[in-house]
Amino acid sequence: SLETYTQFVEISASSHVTVKSAGEVTVVKTKDKKKFPLFMIDLSMINGKIGYTTPVFHFEQKIIALYKQSMTMLQNIPTLERDIMEKLIWTHTPILGSVHQMEEGVLAVQGRIVKAMEAATGPLKQYLQTYGVYRELAETSTEDYIRKLKEEKHTLEEHKEIIVDNLSKQEDIEKSIPDSIAIGMFLVNCVEVRNALSSKRKALAHAVINLLVEKARKISDKLNWEFTQISRKILQRANSIEELTQQKDYINTVPRILTSLKKKTSKMLVHYDLIEDFNFPLIHDDFDQRWTVIGWPKKIFSQIEEAATIQDRNRKRFEKELHLSQESFTAVIKDMTKDISSLAIFKEFSQVEQVHAEVERIDKILKESVAKANLFRSREKLFGFPETQYEDLEKLVREFQPYADLWATAYE
């Protein structure tokens, strides 16, 4: 009967519900203590909004709709007389008498159902409000969150505190939000919203860790580049004693350079150690890069030892080349002595063009020879040898100058 239906709804909605938090709801059954929740409703997070997948007012509407549907089904029920008395002529089909939806008693019963449902859905709405503490989290965009952190320029220790805070709050969410919770007439399924909020906290924590990974990667990339430059200079092929000397001078500064890079390496390792503390998996490239940087100092010292052997071999080669060049240079000086002496035979003005060309040629060779002599002395100094004084060359320069001046004037 309608009264039984109404009592069924009233008993289901009769519990006294006290909502304290998402995980703490007290339900005191005032009538039938054996009654279980009548409906299950899912709580979820969609597009940053926390809410029930089914609007609460739909339950009120459905209960009333069922009541009204039952009333409609009682209308226009025919009696049996017409089917039994078939030989009589019936001008209409008799129907059973029934109550009408607009009768006072019917409306009163309907009012009791509405009142019961309002009482039942009230705590449901209150329970949803307890999730207001998670509204900011639900609405937070991971991209905006990281962008703000970058603008604030936190220290490494502050980043650590932010990560710990997010992971701690994730744990609180797991503990505070149950799988499901009874709220009088309703059993609320909280698994979906708990997983969504927990995943959001975890995503924020991982985004901050990724920020640290990016910083560590930048430091390691720069360090790797700097170590590579050191290695390149150590192993660079020297083509002269000058380059060899420069290379040795640079290698002598390498220990000091490595000391300065050690501080930067320590900074990189602090970042990677913190990342490891949170058991965050590094991609293969980051993992390799980290250990490559750590191994660079040892590799560079090995390269210095290797370079020392090569430098000794090159030094001997350059020394031999110097001696050979000096021997050839002596022959050049002898040839120039003859050439300059031969200038004395030219006395006719008609020979001016021929003699001027010869003077120009000798002048060029002399200048090149002076430069070469200076180069030889410079290299002897680098080798630690006594500097050779090319007195014959200096004498030739003095002897040549009058001829150069004479024939230059004649040519002009």
Side-chain angles (χ1 to χ4, degrees), residues 75-139:
Q75 306 297 316
N76 301 319
I77 299 176
T79 62
L80 299 177
E81 284 86 346
R82 184 165 182 169
D83 292 329
I84 295 173
M85 304 179 206
E86 296 178 349
K87 295 183 179 182
L88 291 179
I89 299 173
W90 297 88
T91 57
H92 64 283
T93 301
I95 59 175
L96 294 173
S98 62
V99 295
H100 194 273
Q101 292 186 17
M102 300 306 295
E103 290 184 18
E104 183 177 348
V106 173
L107 292 176
V109 171
Q110 183 175 316
R112 286 165 55 191
I113 296 175
V114 171
K115 183 178 179 180
M117 288 305 298
E118 288 177 348
T121 56
L124 201 60
K125 297 173 183 176
Q126 292 175 14
Y127 183 71
L128 180 59
Q129 291 175 359
T130 65
Y131 284 81
V133 296
Y134 302 114
R135 183 176 296 114
E136 183 179 356
L137 171 62
E139 295 175 351

Side-chain angles (χ1 to χ4, degrees), residues 222-246:
K222 186 175 181 182
L223 281 168
N224 191 54
W225 182 85
E226 292 187 63
F227 282 121
T228 300
Q229 295 305 305
I230 295 171
S231 175
R232 183 183 63 80
K233 291 179 181 179
I234 291 173
L235 298 178
Q236 188 173 16
R237 176 182 174 83
N239 296 310
S240 66
I241 186 60
E242 289 84 2
E243 291 182 3
L244 183 63
T245 302
Q246 289 178 357

Side-chain angles (χ1 to χ4, degrees), residues 324-341:
L324 292 174
S325 297
Q326 287 177 313
E327 290 175 5
S328 300
F329 186 62
T330 301
V332 171
I333 293 176
K334 288 180 180 180
D335 291 340
M336 282 194 297
T337 301
K338 295 177 182 179
D339 291 341
I340 293 172
S341 298

Side-chain angles (χ1 to χ4, degrees), residues 225 232 239 250 257 305 331 395:
W225 182 85
R232 183 183 63 80
N239 296 310
Y250 175 76
I257 298 173
E305 294 177 1
K395 181 180 177 183

Side-chain angles (χ1 to χ4, degrees), residues 134-325:
Y134 302 114
R135 183 176 296 114
E136 183 179 356
L137 171 62
E139 295 175 351
T140 297
S141 161
T142 303
E143 292 75 15
D144 292 339
Y145 182 79
I146 293 301
R147 188 182 302 112
K148 184 179 178 182
L149 283 183
K150 289 181 178 179
E151 292 171 355
E152 293 172 349
K153 298 181 180 179
H154 292 282
T155 64
L156 182 63
E157 188 61 31
E158 288 171 339
H159 277 117
K160 178 181 179 181
E161 291 174 0
I162 293 171
I163 296 169
V164 170
D165 179 63
N166 275 301
L167 294 177
S168 176
K169 288 179 178 177
Q170 179 198 5
E171 188 176 347
D172 289 341
I173 289 171
E174 297 283 352
K175 292 179 180 179
S176 302
I177 301 177
D179 290 346
S180 61
I181 192 165
I183 304 178
M185 181 185 285
F186 298 91
L187 180 66
V188 180
N189 180 11
C190 308
V191 172
E192 185 177 345
V193 72
R194 183 186 63 194
N195 290 344
L197 291 170
S198 176
S199 297
K200 191 65 170 289
R201 274 296 173 197
K202 185 177 181 180
L204 293 180
H206 281 192
V208 180
I209 297 175
N210 265 319
L211 188 61
L212 296 183
V213 172
E214 290 177 10
K215 289 186 176 182
R217 185 182 302 132
K218 287 181 180 179
I219 297 172
S220 63
D221 284 344
K222 186 175 181 182
L223 281 168
N224 191 54
W225 182 85
E226 292 187 63
F227 282 121
T228 300
Q229 295 305 305
I230 295 171
S231 175
R232 183 183 63 80
K233 291 179 181 179
I234 291 173
L235 298 178
Q236 188 173 16
R237 176 182 174 83
N239 296 310
S240 66
I241 186 60
E242 289 84 2
E243 291 182 3
L244 183 63
T245 302
Q246 289 178 357
Q247 190 178 51
K248 283 186 174 182
D249 291 342
Y250 175 76
I251 288 175
N252 289 334
T253 68
V254 168
R256 177 177 54 80
I257 298 173
L258 292 181
T259 299
S260 66
L261 292 180
K262 185 177 181 181
K263 296 178 181 178
K264 296 180 181 179
T265 303
S266 297
K267 182 180 179 181
M268 178 201 73
L269 292 178
V270 169
H271 279 73
Y272 279 119
D273 288 344
L274 179 57
I275 293 165
E276 283 190 348
D277 287 344
F278 293 107
N279 297 319
F280 189 81
L282 292 172
I283 62 172
H284 187 70
D285 288 346
D286 287 327
F287 183 85
D288 286 350
Q289 181 86 312
R290 173 191 181 185
W291 289 104
T292 297
V293 170
I294 293 173
W296 261 119
K298 182 178 179 180
K299 182 178 180 180
I300 285 176
F301 281 119
S302 296
Q303 290 175 344
I304 290 174
E305 294 177 1
E306 178 186 346
T309 302
I310 297 173
Q311 287 169 350
D312 289 341
R313 187 165 59 246
N314 285 338
R315 178 185 172 85
K316 292 177 182 178
R317 177 167 62 87
F318 295 143
E319 181 180 345
K320 182 177 181 181
E321 290 175 355
L322 175 62
H323 292 322
L324 292 174
S325 297

